[in-house]
Amino acid sequence: MTITLTVFDRSPDGGRGLARDTRVRWALEEVGQPYEVRPVTFEDMKQPDHLDRNPFGQIPTYEEDGLVLFESGSILLHIAGKAPGLLPEDPQARARAITWVFAAVNTVEPPILELQNAKLIEGDKPWAGDRLPMVLDRIRKRLRELSVHLEDADWLDGPFSAGDLMMVSVLQRLKPSGLLDEYPNLAAYVARGEARPAYQRAFADQYAFNNR
Ligand code: GTB
């Protein structure tokens, strides 16, 4: 069984690990599953071959024995469901870990993505200066809430899980903004995730790939 991920041929971040293949690589490393990558350019992503894998023309996609998946959250849950290490056995703890994956992509990630849009896409619009503080407020609200929940725990709900993997991946996008440092327990939480050997391997592989 060969697993193949599509990844940026050259990630625009030059290998800082911010593209969404990193979270999938990390999950595969956590469960000890080898994989191959298929690089695609921005042009390739919009061609029929890739649109068959992901109708939205994005990376990452995941192929395994004729199964083709897109959406990093769905891919993560598929990987986590097949091997021990990312989801607890206890049904209630498992359901809570899955809840945290959704919280990461559905509740915390959207305002963070808005910040990228506000800076990179809308930065030159006449109203950009008025909008930015509102976007920052929405992010701070989520960070405050998450910080209160985490308190001084290592992970969101007991042992490290897929929920932490996704939440750390989502929060990493904020590092350049400095916002994360306003919440020291969240900054430490992200650092804890990044210190995991599986993350280190995933990061090193995507870095080497993007700098080949
Ligand atoms: N909801 C989907 C998922 O979770 O898988 C979103 C997938 C997605 O946004 N993929 C992006 C993509 O394919 C790459 S990760 N974009 C190309 C397109 O839409 O045409 C987003 C990303 C890109 C670049 C950086 N960077 O350079 O810092 C960071 C994150």
Side-chain angles (χ1 to χ4, degrees):
M1 174 196 62
T2 304
I3 290 173
T4 306
L5 307 182
T6 54
V7 302
F8 277 129
D9 180 45
R10 297 257 172 218
S11 178
D13 72 355
R16 282 191 301 143
L18 298 176
R20 286 182 178 80
D21 59 293
T22 304
R23 52 184 73 168
V24 178
R25 290 172 181 266
W26 182 6
L28 289 166
E29 292 289 349
E30 287 285 350
V31 301
Q33 175 67 61
Y35 61 95
E36 296 176 353
V37 295
R38 180 187 296 120
V40 287
T41 63
F42 278 96
E43 197 191 338
D44 296 336
M45 284 182 219
K46 311 305 172 197
Q47 301 304 314
D49 250 17
H50 190 70
L51 293 172
D52 281 348
R53 295 181 204 110
N54 179 346
F56 304 111
Q58 296 187 313
I59 61 103
T61 62
Y62 173 103
E63 291 157 76
E64 172 201 6
D65 286 341
L67 171 70
V68 184
L69 295 175
F70 57 96
E71 285 298 330
S72 57
S74 165
I75 297 170
L76 169 59
L77 289 175
H78 174 72
I79 295 166
K82 285 195 324 154
L86 285 172
L87 286 176
E89 286 294 319
D90 171 71
Q92 291 198 0
R94 197 175 179 93
R96 290 197 304 272
I98 293 169
T99 299
W100 279 113
V101 173
F102 278 89
V105 294
N106 248 1
T107 301
V108 178
E109 192 166 45
I112 293 174
L113 295 179
E114 275 313 300
L115 179 60
Q116 320 286 313
N117 291 340
K119 285 189 169 165
L120 300 178
I121 301 175
E122 301 159 356
D124 59 349
K125 301 281 186 280
W127 39 262
D130 289 337
R131 180 163 186 257
L132 190 58
M134 291 185 282
V135 173
L136 293 173
D137 276 355
R138 285 197 282 269
I139 296 174
R140 285 195 175 98
K141 177 174 189 304
R142 291 299 179 228
L143 295 182
R144 199 164 49 244
E145 292 160 342
L146 190 63
S147 171
V148 167
H149 169 82
L150 186 64
E151 291 184 324
D152 58 357
D154 280 355
W155 307 115
L156 291 168
D157 187 344
F160 177 82
S161 79
D164 295 296
L165 190 155
M166 189 57 94
M167 191 64 82
V168 167
S169 301
V170 162
L171 295 176
Q172 281 178 317
R173 287 285 275 277
L174 285 175
K175 285 204 314 189
S177 73
L179 280 175
L180 211 48
D181 298 325
E182 296 177 17
Y183 305 85
N185 66 337
L186 294 185
Y189 171 64
V190 170
R192 213 158 24 247
E194 291 176 341
R196 292 179 71 82
Y199 176 82
Q200 294 286 320
R201 289 193 295 275
F203 182 88
D205 284 352
Q206 68 76 37
Y207 185 86
F209 186 82
N210 282 299
N211 291 279
R212 70 196 185 281

